Amino acid sequence: MSPAEPLQPGSSSLRTQGYWWHRARADLLGVVMRPHLGTPRRTLDVGSADAPSVGWMRGEQQHVSLDLLPEGLVPGQGVCGSATELPFGDETFDVVSAFDVVEHCADDGRAVAELARVLAPGGRMLLSVPAYQWAWSDHDVQAGHHRRYTRPELVRLVEGGGMQVVRATYAFSGVFPLFVAERLKRRLAPPPPGDTRLPQVSGRADRVLMGLCRADARVLRRRDLPYGSSVLLVAVKPGRSDRA
């Protein structure tokens, strides 16, 4: 399913600072991805409108941020560009990340191929995407998504780009029943056209949601989760590199 143009472009994290989902995602990404960072010399984060989600990725290495919109970059830092036409040479980076990015690309295979192209041999690709096409709603249209994924679908996409998948798991399992209920509510009572607000939660609900996500994080340190509203994936580019 292809969406209309997003009603309000750019990540919702730019408009809603500190929202529980963005904080929880940062924690879950760190738990799953940090063990695969290694000691890179250069890292690239594509879709840096969600820069607060990758604080765990920062280190001594040279770190480059890229986003399609300048609003997603710190003034004077980062590069404006597209995930399907990365403005970097082949084998430039030891780690590339694209969190909730490839679903925005009409040609997601091209996006994955570009991420792989700029990776050095032995480099790691870190991805996250929204899960399950059956969960498609007006939220996806407003966000400019082209599709949602199952874990096997994302694995096939990345392997088709010549990468070797080393971990792929669902996330946000603890809050999944609430996610399903929210999507059902949107089907039965769609919000007014143009309403791009995230579902508001009370302070108490925020604490409950974050607690459920912390339980996810504890499980993810040991094993994968069988379902959830996001898919997280780590892949390695075949070959060896002495840079990471």
Side-chain angles (χ1 to χ4, degrees), residues 36-38 40-43 91-97 115-126 158 162-166 234-244:
H36 301 277
L37 273 181
R41 294 184 183 178
R42 297 187 185 92
T43 56
E91 301 182 2
T92 300
F93 300 96
D94 304 307
V95 175
V96 297
S97 63
L115 294 171
R117 178 184 65 80
V118 302
L119 262 181
R124 280 82 65 198
M125 181 185 295
L126 315 177
V158 172
M163 301 289 293
Q164 296 176 347
V165 174
V166 297
V234 180
V236 174
K237 185 172 182 176
R240 300 184 63 182
S241 173
D242 60 0
R243 300 197 304 160

Side-chain angles (χ1 to χ4, degrees), residues 44-48 63-70 72-74 76-82 85-88 93:
L44 170 67
D45 176 40
V46 176
S48 297
H63 182 79
V64 178
S65 299
L66 180 141
D67 199 86
L68 190 62
L69 301 173
L73 299 167
V74 176
Q77 300 179 23
V79 177
C80 280
S82 168
E85 295 183 12
L86 294 174
F88 308 108
F93 300 96

Side-chain angles (χ1 to χ4, degrees), residues 117-202:
R117 178 184 65 80
V118 302
L119 262 181
R124 280 82 65 198
M125 181 185 295
L126 315 177
L127 301 178
S128 70
V129 295
Y132 304 122
Q133 190 63 27
W134 57 256
W136 184 273
S137 76
D138 63 290
H139 170 79
D140 295 281
V141 175
Q142 293 164 358
H145 294 172
H146 286 268
R147 67 198 67 80
R148 301 176 71 92
Y149 299 81
T150 63
R151 177 169 58 182
E153 286 170 345
L154 185 61
V155 168
R156 286 195 295 269
L157 175 68
V158 172
E159 290 180 340
M163 301 289 293
Q164 296 176 347
V165 174
V166 297
R167 187 174 188 188
T169 179
Y170 289 101
F172 290 101
S173 296
V175 299
F176 192 66
L178 300 175
F179 168 78
V180 174
E182 190 268 340
R183 289 305 163 103
L184 180 60
K185 179 181 177 182
R186 282 179 177 270
R187 294 275 182 89
L188 297 176
D195 185 354
T196 61
R197 293 175 297 176
L198 294 169
Q200 297 303 299
V201 299
S202 66

